[in-house]
Amino acid sequence: MKKIQIGDMLASQIVLGVMRINEAGKNPVEALETAYAGGINFFDNADIYGRGECETIFGNALKESSIRRDDIYIQTKVGIVPGVAFDFSKKHIIEAVEGSMKRLDVDFLDSLLLHRPDTLMEPEEVAEAFTELETSGKVRHFGVSNQNGGQIELLKTAVKQPLLMNQLQFGVMHTGMVDAGLHVNMADAGSVSHDNGLLEYSRLNKMTIQAWSPFQYGYFDGPFVGNEKFPELNAKLQELADKYGVTPTGIAIAWISRHPAAIQTVIGTITPSRIKEVCDASDVILTREEWYSLYMAAGNILP
């Protein structure tokens, strides 16, 4: 599997997200070992997933597995507070990280992301929290989630640590970041830039985009792979899957991986067979023609 340099981390291009690790009937140990055997060495958590239960299950499964802690990267996200909304105060960030570390049963986190923007954020408080966490050895790398360039720049007025990652929804059915760049100087719907050139901002500032929910369409309306609502897209996915000897799901991941922004893709499945099919397709490199054909099969147009 292709690796991406993120700071001093040589991370797999595919990330296993554990939001669904608490689903009934799942074997979390098998899921982790299948992912690791397929080349995945980066695992994404959040304290909000299962109200902390997912971190506990992940930590226990890691202990039971044959995977060495030092051979993988563990990431979590903090800042969403049930019943409140968002909290980027120094007190909350530090307490949330310590809670996550306890549930994960780890001595440190490889990376910490601020989970969605907090409009009441005070950059100086975040900076104090990050410095304390870094100095104490509890967190090695930092980043954000679902933030735009202006919000990141505001953080950087106080935060001294590099902000290395930004989790954003992206996939062949969530192409807003691409659309705006392709429709520059146009007056159609695709020309609307909702995030002020976030894709280009990320590349210019060497921030790794972590694409979440890559198989969803709409606002969590469901998966598009195999969905009869999207016959043209699925026909093209199947055509390319047959060509490369992988599955349509694998091609949907290859579409993201083909972009030169070196995007990591966060998969949320805990089913070993699904994890394996994604890993098996991780080395597929689509041609430009194939990439654009999928983009247009998804209902997008080119100017």
Side-chain angles (χ1 to χ4, degrees), residues 195-212:
D195 302 301
N196 197 27
L198 190 50
L199 179 61
E200 291 76 20
Y201 174 90
S202 301
R203 297 180 72 180
L204 286 167
N205 288 274
K206 302 187 186 311
M207 290 188 75
T208 297
I209 292 173
Q210 296 179 336
W212 57 266

PDB file of all heavy atoms in Angstrom, residues 195-212:
ATOM      1  N   ASP A 195     -15.760  26.858   0.142  1.00  0.00           N
ATOM      2  CA  ASP A 195     -14.704  26.773   1.149  1.00  0.00           C
ATOM      3  C   ASP A 195     -13.469  27.588   0.788  1.00  0.00           C
ATOM      4  O   ASP A 195     -12.393  27.365   1.333  1.00  0.00           O
ATOM      5  CB  ASP A 195     -14.301  25.308   1.357  1.00  0.00           C
ATOM      6  CG  ASP A 195     -15.489  24.456   1.783  1.00  0.00           C
ATOM      7  OD1 ASP A 195     -16.080  24.773   2.821  1.00  0.00           O
ATOM      8  OD2 ASP A 195     -15.824  23.490   1.074  1.00  0.00           O
ATOM      9  N   ASN A 196     -13.609  28.505  -0.162  1.00  0.00           N
ATOM     10  CA  ASN A 196     -12.534  29.435  -0.506  1.00  0.00           C
ATOM     11  C   ASN A 196     -11.241  28.724  -0.912  1.00  0.00           C
ATOM     12  O   ASN A 196     -10.169  29.000  -0.374  1.00  0.00           O
ATOM     13  CB  ASN A 196     -12.270  30.395   0.662  1.00  0.00           C
ATOM     14  CG  ASN A 196     -11.471  31.610   0.233  1.00  0.00           C
ATOM     15  OD1 ASN A 196     -11.520  32.012  -0.928  1.00  0.00           O
ATOM     16  ND2 ASN A 196     -10.726  32.198   1.156  1.00  0.00           N
ATOM     17  N   GLY A 197     -11.358  27.805  -1.869  1.00  0.00           N
ATOM     18  CA  GLY A 197     -10.174  27.140  -2.403  1.00  0.00           C
ATOM     19  C   GLY A 197      -9.466  26.239  -1.412  1.00  0.00           C
ATOM     20  O   GLY A 197      -8.239  26.228  -1.336  1.00  0.00           O
ATOM     21  N   LEU A 198     -10.246  25.459  -0.672  1.00  0.00           N
ATOM     22  CA  LEU A 198      -9.672  24.644   0.405  1.00  0.00           C
ATOM     23  C   LEU A 198      -8.723  23.563  -0.108  1.00  0.00           C
ATOM     24  O   LEU A 198      -7.721  23.243   0.532  1.00  0.00           O
ATOM     25  CB  LEU A 198     -10.797  24.007   1.225  1.00  0.00           C
ATOM     26  CG  LEU A 198     -10.422  23.310   2.527  1.00  0.00           C
ATOM     27  CD1 LEU A 198      -9.561  24.195   3.402  1.00  0.00           C
ATOM     28  CD2 LEU A 198     -11.678  22.887   3.272  1.00  0.00           C
ATOM     29  N   LEU A 199      -9.025  23.012  -1.281  1.00  0.00           N
ATOM     30  CA  LEU A 199      -8.143  21.993  -1.847  1.00  0.00           C
ATOM     31  C   LEU A 199      -6.777  22.584  -2.157  1.00  0.00           C
ATOM     32  O   LEU A 199      -5.726  22.020  -1.803  1.00  0.00           O
ATOM     33  CB  LEU A 199      -8.772  21.401  -3.111  1.00  0.00           C
ATOM     34  CG  LEU A 199      -7.972  20.329  -3.844  1.00  0.00           C
ATOM     35  CD1 LEU A 199      -7.727  19.127  -2.953  1.00  0.00           C
ATOM     36  CD2 LEU A 199      -8.691  19.895  -5.119  1.00  0.00           C
ATOM     37  N   GLU A 200      -6.775  23.729  -2.808  1.00  0.00           N
ATOM     38  CA  GLU A 200      -5.510  24.382  -3.142  1.00  0.00           C
ATOM     39  C   GLU A 200      -4.799  24.882  -1.880  1.00  0.00           C
ATOM     40  O   GLU A 200      -3.569  24.803  -1.769  1.00  0.00           O
ATOM     41  CB  GLU A 200      -5.764  25.549  -4.101  1.00  0.00           C
ATOM     42  CG  GLU A 200      -6.204  25.125  -5.500  1.00  0.00           C
ATOM     43  CD  GLU A 200      -7.646  24.679  -5.573  1.00  0.00           C
ATOM     44  OE1 GLU A 200      -8.440  25.037  -4.656  1.00  0.00           O
ATOM     45  OE2 GLU A 200      -8.010  23.956  -6.518  1.00  0.00           O
ATOM     46  N   TYR A 201      -5.568  25.389  -0.923  1.00  0.00           N
ATOM     47  CA  TYR A 201      -4.988  25.833   0.349  1.00  0.00           C
ATOM     48  C   TYR A 201      -4.245  24.680   1.023  1.00  0.00           C
ATOM     49  O   TYR A 201      -3.125  24.853   1.526  1.00  0.00           O
ATOM     50  CB  TYR A 201      -6.079  26.360   1.283  1.00  0.00           C
ATOM     51  CG  TYR A 201      -5.573  26.700   2.670  1.00  0.00           C
ATOM     52  CD1 TYR A 201      -5.100  27.976   2.958  1.00  0.00           C
ATOM     53  CD2 TYR A 201      -5.551  25.741   3.674  1.00  0.00           C
ATOM     54  CE1 TYR A 201      -4.610  28.283   4.221  1.00  0.00           C
ATOM     55  CE2 TYR A 201      -5.064  26.032   4.936  1.00  0.00           C
ATOM     56  CZ  TYR A 201      -4.595  27.308   5.206  1.00  0.00           C
ATOM     57  OH  TYR A 201      -4.091  27.605   6.453  1.00  0.00           O
ATOM     58  N   SER A 202      -4.860  23.514   1.023  1.00  0.00           N
ATOM     59  CA  SER A 202      -4.250  22.352   1.670  1.00  0.00           C
ATOM     60  C   SER A 202      -2.932  21.973   1.000  1.00  0.00           C
ATOM     61  O   SER A 202      -1.939  21.680   1.669  1.00  0.00           O
ATOM     62  CB  SER A 202      -5.216  21.161   1.637  1.00  0.00           C
ATOM     63  OG  SER A 202      -6.426  21.476   2.302  1.00  0.00           O
ATOM     64  N   ARG A 203      -2.918  22.015  -0.312  1.00  0.00           N
ATOM     65  CA  ARG A 203      -1.690  21.671  -1.030  1.00  0.00           C
ATOM     66  C   ARG A 203      -0.600  22.706  -0.803  1.00  0.00           C
ATOM     67  O   ARG A 203       0.570  22.362  -0.595  1.00  0.00           O
ATOM     68  CB  ARG A 203      -1.989  21.516  -2.521  1.00  0.00           C
ATOM     69  CG  ARG A 203      -2.956  20.378  -2.832  1.00  0.00           C
ATOM     70  CD  ARG A 203      -3.228  20.248  -4.321  1.00  0.00           C
ATOM     71  NE  ARG A 203      -2.080  19.711  -5.035  1.00  0.00           N
ATOM     72  CZ  ARG A 203      -2.057  19.491  -6.348  1.00  0.00           C
ATOM     73  NH1 ARG A 203      -3.122  19.787  -7.084  1.00  0.00           N
ATOM     74  NH2 ARG A 203      -0.982  18.991  -6.929  1.00  0.00           N
ATOM     75  N   LEU A 204      -0.979  23.968  -0.818  1.00  0.00           N
ATOM     76  CA  LEU A 204       0.004  25.031  -0.612  1.00  0.00           C
ATOM     77  C   LEU A 204       0.607  24.987   0.787  1.00  0.00           C
ATOM     78  O   LEU A 204       1.779  25.313   0.986  1.00  0.00           O
ATOM     79  CB  LEU A 204      -0.647  26.401  -0.839  1.00  0.00           C
ATOM     80  CG  LEU A 204      -0.932  26.782  -2.284  1.00  0.00           C
ATOM     81  CD1 LEU A 204      -1.855  27.992  -2.347  1.00  0.00           C
ATOM     82  CD2 LEU A 204       0.374  27.069  -3.033  1.00  0.00           C
ATOM     83  N   ASN A 205      -0.194  24.568   1.760  1.00  0.00           N
ATOM     84  CA  ASN A 205       0.260  24.548   3.150  1.00  0.00           C
ATOM     85  C   ASN A 205       0.653  23.152   3.623  1.00  0.00           C
ATOM     86  O   ASN A 205       0.868  22.950   4.816  1.00  0.00           O
ATOM     87  CB  ASN A 205      -0.837  25.123   4.051  1.00  0.00           C
ATOM     88  CG  ASN A 205      -0.985  26.616   3.901  1.00  0.00           C
ATOM     89  OD1 ASN A 205      -0.290  27.391   4.548  1.00  0.00           O
ATOM     90  ND2 ASN A 205      -1.897  27.035   3.027  1.00  0.00           N
ATOM     91  N   LYS A 206       0.773  22.229   2.671  1.00  0.00           N
ATOM     92  CA  LYS A 206       1.228  20.872   2.973  1.00  0.00           C
ATOM     93  C   LYS A 206       0.403  20.226   4.090  1.00  0.00           C
ATOM     94  O   LYS A 206       0.942  19.579   4.992  1.00  0.00           O
ATOM     95  CB  LYS A 206       2.720  20.869   3.321  1.00  0.00           C
ATOM     96  CG  LYS A 206       3.607  21.442   2.211  1.00  0.00           C
ATOM     97  CD  LYS A 206       5.070  21.286   2.495  1.00  0.00           C
ATOM     98  CE  LYS A 206       5.938  21.982   1.452  1.00  0.00           C
ATOM     99  NZ  LYS A 206       5.564  21.652   0.071  1.00  0.00           N
ATOM    100  N   MET A 207      -0.903  20.419   4.004  1.00  0.00           N
ATOM    101  CA  MET A 207      -1.829  19.764   4.923  1.00  0.00           C
ATOM    102  C   MET A 207      -2.432  18.557   4.218  1.00  0.00           C
ATOM    103  O   MET A 207      -2.923  18.672   3.088  1.00  0.00           O
ATOM    104  CB  MET A 207      -2.947  20.708   5.367  1.00  0.00           C
ATOM    105  CG  MET A 207      -2.501  21.816   6.295  1.00  0.00           C
ATOM    106  SD  MET A 207      -3.908  22.758   6.956  1.00  0.00           S
ATOM    107  CE  MET A 207      -4.547  21.594   8.180  1.00  0.00           C
ATOM    108  N   THR A 208      -2.395  17.428   4.872  1.00  0.00           N
ATOM    109  CA  THR A 208      -2.967  16.208   4.308  1.00  0.00           C
ATOM    110  C   THR A 208      -4.471  16.199   4.531  1.00  0.00           C
ATOM    111  O   THR A 208      -4.941  16.294   5.668  1.00  0.00           O
ATOM    112  CB  THR A 208      -2.350  14.966   4.959  1.00  0.00           C
ATOM    113  OG1 THR A 208      -0.946  14.935   4.666  1.00  0.00           O
ATOM    114  CG2 THR A 208      -3.002  13.688   4.437  1.00  0.00           C
ATOM    115  N   ILE A 209      -5.221  16.108   3.446  1.00  0.00           N
ATOM    116  CA  ILE A 209      -6.671  15.947   3.558  1.00  0.00           C
ATOM    117  C   ILE A 209      -6.973  14.486   3.870  1.00  0.00           C
ATOM    118  O   ILE A 209      -6.446  13.578   3.229  1.00  0.00           O
ATOM    119  CB  ILE A 209      -7.374  16.367   2.259  1.00  0.00           C
ATOM    120  CG1 ILE A 209      -7.237  17.874   2.038  1.00  0.00           C
ATOM    121  CG2 ILE A 209      -8.858  15.969   2.282  1.00  0.00           C
ATOM    122  CD1 ILE A 209      -7.758  18.353   0.704  1.00  0.00           C
ATOM    123  N   GLN A 210      -7.805  14.275   4.875  1.00  0.00           N
ATOM    124  CA  GLN A 210      -8.287  12.937   5.202  1.00  0.00           C
ATOM    125  C   GLN A 210      -9.758  12.883   4.800  1.00  0.00           C
ATOM    126  O   GLN A 210     -10.599  13.526   5.427  1.00  0.00           O
ATOM    127  CB  GLN A 210      -8.103  12.640   6.693  1.00  0.00           C
ATOM    128  CG  GLN A 210      -6.645  12.607   7.130  1.00  0.00           C
ATOM    129  CD  GLN A 210      -6.480  12.339   8.615  1.00  0.00           C
ATOM    130  OE1 GLN A 210      -7.372  12.593   9.412  1.00  0.00           O
ATOM    131  NE2 GLN A 210      -5.317  11.817   8.995  1.00  0.00           N
ATOM    132  N   ALA A 211     -10.055  12.155   3.743  1.00  0.00           N
ATOM    133  CA  ALA A 211     -11.403  12.130   3.169  1.00  0.00           C
ATOM    134  C   ALA A 211     -12.297  11.170   3.950  1.00  0.00           C
ATOM    135  O   ALA A 211     -12.048   9.970   3.985  1.00  0.00           O
ATOM    136  CB  ALA A 211     -11.332  11.707   1.707  1.00  0.00           C
ATOM    137  N   TRP A 212     -13.354  11.726   4.567  1.00  0.00           N
ATOM    138  CA  TRP A 212     -14.267  10.867   5.325  1.00  0.00           C
ATOM    139  C   TRP A 212     -15.555  10.605   4.539  1.00  0.00           C
ATOM    140  O   TRP A 212     -15.912  11.342   3.645  1.00  0.00           O
ATOM    141  CB  TRP A 212     -14.569  11.429   6.709  1.00  0.00           C
ATOM    142  CG  TRP A 212     -15.141  12.817   6.804  1.00  0.00           C
ATOM    143  CD1 TRP A 212     -14.441  13.971   6.982  1.00  0.00           C
ATOM    144  CD2 TRP A 212     -16.526  13.194   6.780  1.00  0.00           C
ATOM    145  NE1 TRP A 212     -15.300  15.043   7.056  1.00  0.00           N
ATOM    146  CE2 TRP A 212     -16.588  14.601   6.953  1.00  0.00           C
ATOM    147  CE3 TRP A 212     -17.719  12.480   6.647  1.00  0.00           C
ATOM    148  CZ2 TRP A 212     -17.785  15.295   6.991  1.00  0.00           C
ATOM    149  CZ3 TRP A 212     -18.923  13.180   6.667  1.00  0.00           C
ATOM    150  CH2 TRP A 212     -18.939  14.566   6.835  1.00  0.00           C
TER     151      TRP A 212
END
